[in-house]
Amino acid sequence: MQPSSDTISPPPGESTLQRALLAYGEARRSAAIAARRELSLNELDARALMFIAENPGARPSHVREHLGITSAGVTTLVDRLVQREVVRRDLDDEDRRVNHLTVIVDLDSPPWCRLRAFDDDIESAITALDPDEAGRLARVIEKLTATAMR
């Protein structure tokens, strides 16, 4: 008798949990690639946009530090985002050498919401879990990632 698809064993050396975590990572990467393609953004531009959205008024130096790129690289990146009219560059009132960056598109509305859609869907699924079950899963994942980061 053939096992049902619910009881298929993972390949030797790979646990069901490992397979699920790998599938999650691949699904998240694929969703991010599709969203960036739809919005005509490269990965660095998308990461910068999300960072600026989470840190309104950030300076280009903060973006540079967050992304680990050169000053020239961040200047080019910010110029691209400003030219696309997704970010605004404002001069500091006290120091005109300083710029502050602000996202000027609504990342919660189409098409920009695609950047967060996968994570928003996962968050909805997590909130539907029993809180104890979600806590146990979080502890397992934290333990796994702490072990992997050594």
Side-chain angles (χ1 to χ4, degrees):
M1 184 163 146
Q2 292 287 339
S4 74
S5 62
D6 293 340
T7 60
I8 293 176
S9 298
E14 184 179 282
S15 70
T16 303
L17 178 57
Q18 180 182 13
R19 188 173 57 202
L21 289 170
L22 291 171
Y24 167 81
E26 183 56 34
R28 189 169 192 270
R29 276 187 296 281
S30 295
I33 289 167
R36 289 193 311 265
R37 186 176 299 128
E38 180 180 329
L39 297 167
S40 299
L41 289 174
N42 66 39
E43 180 179 2
L44 213 52
D45 289 1
R47 288 178 51 208
L49 184 62
M50 299 309 290
F51 177 79
I52 297 166
E54 294 166 5
N55 300 279
R59 298 166 90 170
S61 60
H62 299 146
V63 176
R64 178 184 53 77
E65 291 166 8
H66 176 73
L67 298 176
I69 60 176
T70 65
S71 294
V74 80
T75 298
T76 303
L77 182 151
V78 169
D79 287 346
R80 259 193 323 269
L81 294 176
V82 168
Q83 184 177 10
R84 285 210 48 204
E85 299 180 347
V86 296
V87 168
R88 183 181 70 230
R89 183 188 290 132
D90 297 310
L91 291 176
D92 187 282
D93 293 334
E94 296 176 14
D95 185 349
R96 298 190 64 77
R97 297 171 295 173
V98 175
N99 290 301
H100 296 280
L101 306 171
T102 305
V103 173
I104 56 175
V105 294
D106 184 357
L107 295 177
D108 293 326
S109 296
W112 299 101
C113 63
R114 298 271 298 129
L115 288 172
R116 295 182 179 158
F118 183 87
D119 290 337
D120 289 348
D121 290 347
I122 292 296
E123 183 62 29
S124 294
I126 289 170
T127 59
L129 291 174
D130 172 81
D132 291 335
E133 183 180 14
R136 282 192 302 278
L137 287 170
R139 287 188 296 279
V140 167
I141 293 170
E142 287 167 355
K143 184 177 179 181
L144 292 171
T145 54
T147 301
M149 298 303 287
R150 286 192 224 165

